[in-house]
Amino acid sequence: MAVQEARSGTGAEGMHVGGCTCGDCPHGVREGHRRAVAAFLRRRDEFAAGQGLPAAVAYSASASRQWVSEELTQRAEAVAERARAEGEAWLTRLWLRTVGTVWGAVLALLLGEALTAVGAGWTGARTAALAAALVVAGVLSAASWLHRARGGALAPVIGEDNRISTSRTVASSWVLFVGYAVLLLAARLAAASRHAERDALISGLDLARGAGVVTVLAVVCGIAVLVRRVVGLRVLAQRLQKVPAHRPRAADLLTDDSGRGAFADIQYVAVHAVALLFAAVRLARRPDQWPDLPWGLGVVVLISSATYLAGKYAEGGRPVVLSVVRVREPGDLDGPIRTGDDIEIRGAGFVPPGARSADRLSRMVVRIGTVDVHVPLVPVTGGFSNPTDSALTVPVPADVEPGAVEVQVVTAAGVATNRCIVQVTE
């Protein structure tokens, strides 16, 4: 029906436009995801206001809660499927944008050289800079085509969690800059006709001149490899919870997995951006030698890198159950935990960063003895009151045997908490 509405009155050339949600084109996938999210949020708020409940379950609070949770879970899975399709379509479109950005940078370089050449004249260094830029742009364009299904030229900086990696982006920026500088000097060396000029260009590549840049390049490349290793080991050891994102975002460079600004990432990107800008200016002023990076600025870059690496070691933590208590309804008497009662599990780290969407929350499980209980979604206006990062409520099923039983939470990332022993009576 949505496809027919989108096509009506448009003709063959107007297909897949407007409100198309067929999924056969990028616009349809994006529009379908937007509509699915809007419908889910509207339905969630209706349930939060007590509307839309069938009469068969409205008589019981526990039955209505279970029905609402199942309904929202099914709708959330449909929204998540739309989000994954939209993310794949977005990555497919991204390679054209990366190619356009690369060649736009080449055009900007050409315009800048043309403007600065007024009065001073066109020099061989300008030609070499433009030739090096054309080579780099050609290589990046070819890489974008080969990885067009994974984001084009951005494919190497997209991590396994489908987010843009800060460490890989910074390292890639320095690698591209150093590669461009070497190509620039190589082009100038190839065009040099005098022996003295060739010797001057070769001496410009001495390590003494580029020690600062080479040191920074080695550090950032090492950090990119080390961070990947550290994150992988911490995930396997269940000391860090990782949930894949639906698609990469530019904000990933400056935020953590939950989308909040991260100091370690922000300072790392900012300091290296300033250092790269300084090195680019030095290369533009002295295109006959390595862009020398003063050791004062180099030390600042190294301190920033160490801070970023320390932040990666410090982030995360294993979820933990602190206590389990019986939920007492208003007017109810105090008593022990019995089958059929609701229990509140208190702790920390139950909701991994980036897992606050309904489809991720619905994957949480509480293991009570030998019985796995899915955590019900309890909607409120604008979100969910259960589960939360520090507390969640589940019913004790009738299949739980009376006596001492172990309670354990399994998060959406698949990480299991410690076991807490509670007494269940008949």
Side-chain angles (χ1 to χ4, degrees):
M1 181 65 68
V3 177
Q4 295 176 355
E5 292 176 356
R7 296 178 180 179
S8 60
T10 60
E13 66 277 4
M15 296 169 60
H16 305 297
V17 295
C20 173
T21 60
C22 64
D24 294 335
C25 62
H27 177 82
V29 173
R30 183 171 61 251
E31 181 66 17
H33 176 235
R34 186 190 65 80
R35 292 189 177 187
V37 171
F40 175 82
L41 296 179
R42 183 168 58 251
R43 192 63 169 165
R44 182 200 62 190
D45 292 342
E46 288 178 358
F47 287 150
Q51 303 173 359
L53 293 176
V57 299
Y59 71 93
S60 171
S62 60
S64 61
R65 182 182 64 183
Q66 185 65 28
W67 186 88
V68 167
S69 178
E70 294 294 338
E71 181 73 11
L72 289 177
T73 298
Q74 294 178 7
R75 290 175 176 267
E77 291 175 354
V79 173
E81 185 63 30
R82 290 276 191 175
R84 284 189 288 269
E86 194 272 337
E88 293 175 358
W90 183 86
L91 282 176
T92 304
R93 299 191 306 270
L94 184 61
W95 82 272
L96 288 174
R97 300 179 184 178
T98 57
V99 171
T101 301
V102 167
W103 288 103
V106 174
L107 180 59
L109 176 63
L110 176 60
L111 293 176
E113 288 186 337
L115 291 176
T116 55
V118 175
W122 192 269
T123 62
R126 300 179 191 276
T127 303
L130 184 59
L134 291 174
V135 172
V136 172
V139 172
L140 291 179
S141 298
S144 296
W145 168 255
L146 294 175
H147 297 87
R148 56 189 179 277
R150 289 297 303 164
L154 295 182
V157 302
I158 298 177
E160 290 74 15
D161 58 352
N162 209 27
R163 295 181 177 87
I164 296 180
S165 170
T166 303
S167 59
R168 296 185 194 179
T169 302
V170 171
S172 299
S173 300
W174 279 104
V175 168
L176 283 176
F177 173 75
V178 172
Y180 173 78
V182 173
L183 285 174
L184 171 59
L185 292 174
R188 293 209 61 193
L189 183 62
S193 58
R194 292 178 299 176
H195 183 74
E197 184 179 0
R198 290 195 297 269
D199 289 343
L201 290 171
I202 294 175
S203 64
L205 286 172
D206 288 343
L207 183 60
R209 297 180 182 273
V213 171
V214 173
T215 301
V216 171
L217 178 65
V219 169
V220 295
C221 289
I223 286 180
V225 176
L226 184 59
V227 164
R228 180 179 181 181
R229 178 65 174 171
V230 168
V231 172
L233 290 178
R234 287 172 62 84
V235 170
L236 292 178
Q238 297 190 4
R239 297 170 58 190
L240 179 65
Q241 301 189 73
K242 273 286 185 180
V243 176
H246 291 307
R247 70 174 179 87
R249 302 178 186 274
D252 296 338
L253 292 174
L254 306 176
T255 61
D256 56 17
D257 290 354
S258 62
R260 294 174 296 192
F263 168 75
D265 295 60
I266 292 174
Q267 62 85 30
Y268 189 62
V269 172
V271 171
H272 280 272
V274 171
L276 266 172
L277 180 60
F278 182 89
V281 172
R282 293 291 293 174
L283 180 62
R285 299 294 295 177
R286 296 294 302 272
D288 57 344
Q289 64 181 32
W290 274 104
D292 56 327
L293 198 67
W295 279 112
L297 181 57
V299 171
V300 172
V301 171
L302 295 180
I303 293 175
S304 173
S305 302
T307 303
Y308 174 77
L309 186 59
K312 286 299 177 183
Y313 273 101
E315 71 177 4
R318 187 168 182 171
V320 59
V321 173
L322 299 178
S323 60
V324 179
V325 298
R326 174 178 176 269
V327 176
R328 186 178 69 88
E329 299 293 338
D332 191 10
L333 298 177
D334 295 328
I337 298 176
R338 298 183 176 88
T339 56
D341 289 344
D342 288 342
I343 58 174
E344 181 181 278
I345 304 172
R346 301 172 182 174
F350 294 153
V351 180
R356 295 191 177 277
S357 58
D359 62 301
R360 301 284 169 69
L361 293 176
S362 63
R363 297 178 60 188
M364 295 182 62
V365 174
V366 175
R367 186 166 295 141
I368 306 177
T370 59
V371 182
D372 289 345
V373 183
H374 283 79
V375 180
L377 300 177
V378 180
V380 294
T381 302
F384 297 93
S385 62
N386 186 67
T388 65
D389 189 62
S390 58
L392 52 90
T393 301
V394 294
V396 179
D399 295 332
V400 174
E401 296 291 337
V405 296
E406 295 179 340
V407 177
Q408 187 180 33
V409 177
V410 181
T411 69
V415 178
T417 67
N418 59 304
R419 293 177 172 85
C420 184
I421 300 178
V422 297
Q423 293 290 333
V424 178
T425 61
E426 297 181 359

